Structure formats: structure tokens, C-alpha cells
Amino acid sequence: MDIITLVGFIAGTLTTVAYVPQVVRSWRLKETKDISLSMLVLYAIGVFLWLLYGCWSNSLPIIVANGISEILILVLLGIKLHYR
């Protein structure tokens, strides 16, 4: 693995893991009143587009990080809509 790919995986891991505490907190408390619905939707669209970009450019770090991030965002969005 070259250094550029390694940096990509480290960056992707950090930005993806940073979102986990918010998802866990929202899941545990069943509450998302302090999270903007429009921010979640825009973020989900942006991450999905990054995922497409990663697929088109065949960049494994971008694909993995944004694939996992998209799942986390969709879980949080589901919690947001369920407990409105």
C-alpha cells in the first residue's frame, strides 16, 4: 500500500469514526432535536456523491469511508424522522 492510499484510509477512518458518537447518543437517548434535518439531508447527499466519485475514480479509501459514513448518516436520519 502506498503512502497516499494509507493517508486516505487514515483520513477516512477519522472522519467516519467522528460521526459514531452522535449516532450512538441519538440512538441511546432516542432524541435528535438539536440536529438539523436539512443538514442531515444535505450531508447525506454530499457523502453519496463522494461515494459515487470514489467508485468512478476507483479510490478504495473514498469508497470505504463514504460508504460507512452514508450508512451512519442514514441511521441518524432515520432516528431523526422516527422520533420527531
Side-chain angles (χ1 to χ4, degrees):
M1 178 180 313
D2 64 0
I3 191 71
I4 294 171
T5 304
L6 181 61
V7 168
F9 274 117
I10 292 169
T13 299
L14 292 174
T15 57
T16 300
V17 170
Y19 218 70
V20 171
Q22 184 64 60
V23 173
V24 170
R25 180 184 183 281
S26 297
W27 185 290
R28 192 174 293 150
L29 297 178
K30 298 178 178 19
E31 187 234 307
T32 58
K33 68 178 180 180
D34 294 332
I35 302 172
S36 166
L37 179 60
S38 59
M39 183 276 300
L40 283 175
V41 170
L42 291 171
Y43 193 55
I45 293 168
V47 169
F48 179 74
L49 292 174
W50 271 115
L51 180 58
L52 285 178
Y53 174 81
C55 291
W56 287 332
S57 64
N58 200 27
S59 176
L60 193 57
I62 293 175
I63 294 167
V64 171
N66 287 292
I68 294 169
S69 291
E70 188 70 16
I71 292 167
L72 291 170
I73 294 163
L74 292 175
V75 167
L76 191 55
L77 188 56
I79 294 168
K80 175 76 173 174
L81 294 173
H82 184 72
Y83 293 110
R84 263 176 132 175

